[in-house]
Amino acid sequence: MLAFLLLVTVTLASAHESGEHFEGEKVFRVKVEDKNHVNLLQELASTNQIDFWKPDSATQITPHSTVDFHVKAEDILTVEDFLEQNELQYEVLIGNLRSALEAQFDSGARATGHSYEKYNNWETIEAWTKQVASENPNLISRSTIGTTFEGRNIYLLKVGKAGSNKPAIFIDCGFHAREWISPAFCQWFVKEAVRTYGSESQMTQLLNTFDFYVVPVLNIDGYVYTWTTNRMWRKTRSVRSGSTCVGTDPNRNFNAGWCSIGASRSPCADTYCGPAAESEKETKALADFIRKNLSSIKAYLTIHSYSQMLLYPYSYAYKLPANNAELNALAKATVNELASLYGTKYTYGPGASTIYPAAGGSDDWAYDQGIKYSFTFELRDTGRYGFALPESQIRATCEETLRAVKYVASYVLEHLY
């Protein structure tokens, strides 16, 4: 028992190395009524270090919305004074971020090694990709689509029954490092594909017809950094000569209206678009793979968090895709299917008007490459935990998301092009 306790302590210690400096830090939600409120919050952001959770930056704040942001302990009084003096309505979503981050690890599955119901670090996920492929050779093969800035392999799992010229569905997770529930879903998807193949008719038909290309974590360097150094890190870990700031937002780095709106040209910003489209090795690896397999890829699904939304193009402009009516109907039916399990409510629609305008996203890029069914999932929750979603919610989140993904895949199967 003592050995087990020691092990738990060590595991938690390594998981929380990144948590120390979040002591006493808060996450606020502010109600934005009008343009004046927008200006006030942008002013606040320009004079204080504010980590925006939703939207991703001060430039994306709009009237009639709510804004979630994380504030360092030493700035809390200043921020609270500012909000009160300017009569901005606010609530504290998280009173002590360090406690919330520690409470994430509330899963009963505290075993060593890989578990589908806890957050796994990169080393564990990497070992899992090898194991799950070697244990299921009839359904899974593992390949490398490139390497990260720091030299780690970006793995792709091809999941499906062997066959020639099969259509494919591409799913990626772990674009933004701090969105831990995202890689948890990709692992869950692969597990369920293997577990239910041959016994559950829908999954069996999908795997017989499609190849699913699954990238369990795209932004691996960033993900590793959230485990070792800063749990709230979002970007890649690339460095550029002439700048002391690190990283690019991989979901602002695609060649889709690149850096025109909702992205920053400042290397220090969380939404930095990079020096050029596809400047990031991770982005380029993904784009190259999709371009190479474009004739077979019929749907593109990218998994993010948080806010419980299902988004489709466009995000880089307030314009609608050619098959807008179809995508809207499919999104509506998909969120209904998702809600049928636990009643989790999702909103849906084109990215720019549903969440906020943001250029350089992978879903817009994939759509513009000719992939008709391109969606971004923003998983649980709506802000109570935000990026600190507890492990005890992994199972339910993944189960309902799997329903939604299978629904989309079945629709695509009936509408192959």
Side-chain angles (χ1 to χ4, degrees):
M1 185 64 187
L2 183 63
F4 171 73
L5 284 173
L6 279 170
L7 182 71
V8 169
T9 314
V10 171
T11 315
L12 288 173
S14 62
H16 300 320
E17 279 168 20
S18 58
E20 296 306 319
H21 54 292
F22 293 115
E23 182 58 48
E25 301 188 1
K26 291 183 180 182
V27 178
F28 291 91
R29 170 166 288 175
V30 177
K31 209 167 172 196
V32 183
E33 302 283 4
D34 50 30
K35 192 77 182 84
N36 177 43
H37 285 181
V38 174
N39 295 339
L40 285 167
L41 286 174
Q42 288 174 344
E43 180 193 326
L44 179 68
S46 67
T47 52
N48 292 271
Q49 254 199 307
I50 285 176
D51 167 26
F52 283 92
W53 282 22
K54 188 182 156 227
D56 300 331
S57 71
T59 60
Q60 294 162 307
I61 302 171
T62 55
H64 316 298
S65 68
T66 56
V67 178
D68 299 351
F69 56 84
H70 152 224
V71 178
K72 288 192 178 338
E74 60 269 24
D75 296 326
I76 286 171
L77 286 175
T78 314
V79 168
E80 286 178 338
D81 281 350
F82 182 91
L83 296 174
E84 281 159 18
Q85 280 170 4
N86 291 287
E87 294 179 2
L88 284 154
Q89 263 186 291
Y90 73 91
E91 61 178 307
V92 176
L93 290 178
I94 297 175
N96 184 350
L97 186 53
R98 182 180 174 182
S99 306
L101 292 174
E102 286 178 353
Q104 273 189 120
F105 297 95
D106 66 347
S107 163
R110 196 66 277 159
T112 55
H114 184 271
S115 164
Y116 292 102
E117 294 196 38
K118 62 177 206 190
Y119 295 120
N120 299 295
N121 63 19
W122 172 244
E123 209 178 337
T124 306
I125 295 172
E126 184 176 33
W128 166 82
T129 61
K130 186 178 180 181
Q131 187 180 355
V132 78
S134 66
E135 285 175 0
N136 302 281
N138 301 331
L139 282 179
I140 301 179
S141 62
R142 180 180 83 151
S143 59
T144 303
I145 59 168
T147 55
T148 65
F149 181 83
E150 292 177 349
R152 296 178 174 93
N153 285 330
I154 303 170
Y155 294 106
L156 175 132
L157 296 174
K158 180 180 175 182
V159 185
K161 200 73 185 143
S164 54
N165 300 322
K166 289 173 74 183
I169 290 178
F170 190 99
I171 305 176
D172 62 52
C173 292
F175 250 76
H176 291 135
R178 62 189 178 183
E179 299 169 7
W180 283 10
I181 188 62
S182 167
F185 174 73
C186 270
Q187 294 161 70
W188 188 275
F189 176 85
V190 172
K191 164 186 80 95
E192 286 298 294
V194 171
R195 187 182 72 81
T196 60
Y197 180 78
S199 62
E200 197 260 324
S201 59
Q202 188 185 18
M203 184 65 94
T204 304
Q205 184 190 24
L206 290 173
L207 294 177
N208 283 340
T209 313
F210 288 114
D211 284 326
F212 286 87
Y213 293 125
V214 181
V215 175
V217 184
L218 179 74
N219 177 13
I220 303 163
D221 298 347
Y223 187 70
V224 169
Y225 196 74
T226 61
W227 279 81
T228 59
T229 313
N230 177 0
R231 175 64 184 84
M232 285 300 125
W233 188 257
R234 169 185 167 91
K235 299 188 285 182
T236 63
R237 295 292 302 161
S238 57
V239 292
R240 308 253 172 258
S241 58
S243 173
T244 53
C245 290
V246 175
T248 291
D249 183 340
N251 210 35
R252 299 291 187 279
N253 192 236
F254 284 81
N255 195 7
W258 179 76
C259 222
S260 56
I261 190 171
S264 174
R265 290 188 185 270
S266 160
C268 303
D270 259 351
T271 53
Y272 177 47
C273 59
E278 292 183 31
S279 61
E280 301 309 285
K281 290 186 71 176
E282 298 83 356
T283 308
K284 187 157 184 2
L286 189 142
D288 282 346
F289 180 87
I290 289 178
R291 279 189 285 258
K292 198 168 76 192
N293 295 278
L294 197 53
S295 60
S296 68
I297 298 174
K298 304 302 174 190
Y300 172 79
L301 308 176
T302 182
I303 313 295
H304 290 253
S305 76
Y306 63 98
S307 60
Q308 294 174 197
M309 290 181 173
L310 182 55
L311 308 170
Y312 57 83
Y314 283 98
S315 289
Y316 68 72
Y318 288 101
K319 66 174 181 176
L320 298 175
N323 60 333
N324 176 64
E326 182 187 21
L327 290 178
N328 196 64
L330 174 54
K332 181 181 181 177
T334 302
V335 302
N336 285 339
E337 179 67 20
L338 185 147
S340 68
L341 196 56
Y342 296 112
T344 308
K345 287 188 167 38
Y346 267 55
T347 49
Y348 62 92
S353 55
T354 307
I355 189 165
Y356 41 66
S362 63
D363 55 350
D364 284 357
W365 176 83
Y367 184 83
D368 283 344
Q369 295 301 300
I371 300 173
K372 262 171 68 173
Y373 303 105
S374 180
F375 290 99
T376 295
F377 281 83
E378 294 281 356
L379 304 187
R380 292 189 188 186
D381 57 5
T382 54
R384 162 73 183 84
Y385 296 104
F387 301 123
L389 192 74
E391 283 177 330
S392 52
Q393 290 199 34
I394 292 176
R395 170 183 279 274
T397 304
C398 291
E399 285 174 346
E400 67 194 12
T401 309
L402 180 65
R403 275 204 179 194
V405 166
K406 283 162 73 175
Y407 187 88
V408 171
S410 296
Y411 179 91
V412 174
L413 177 61
E414 289 163 14
H415 298 81
L416 284 175
Y417 58 97

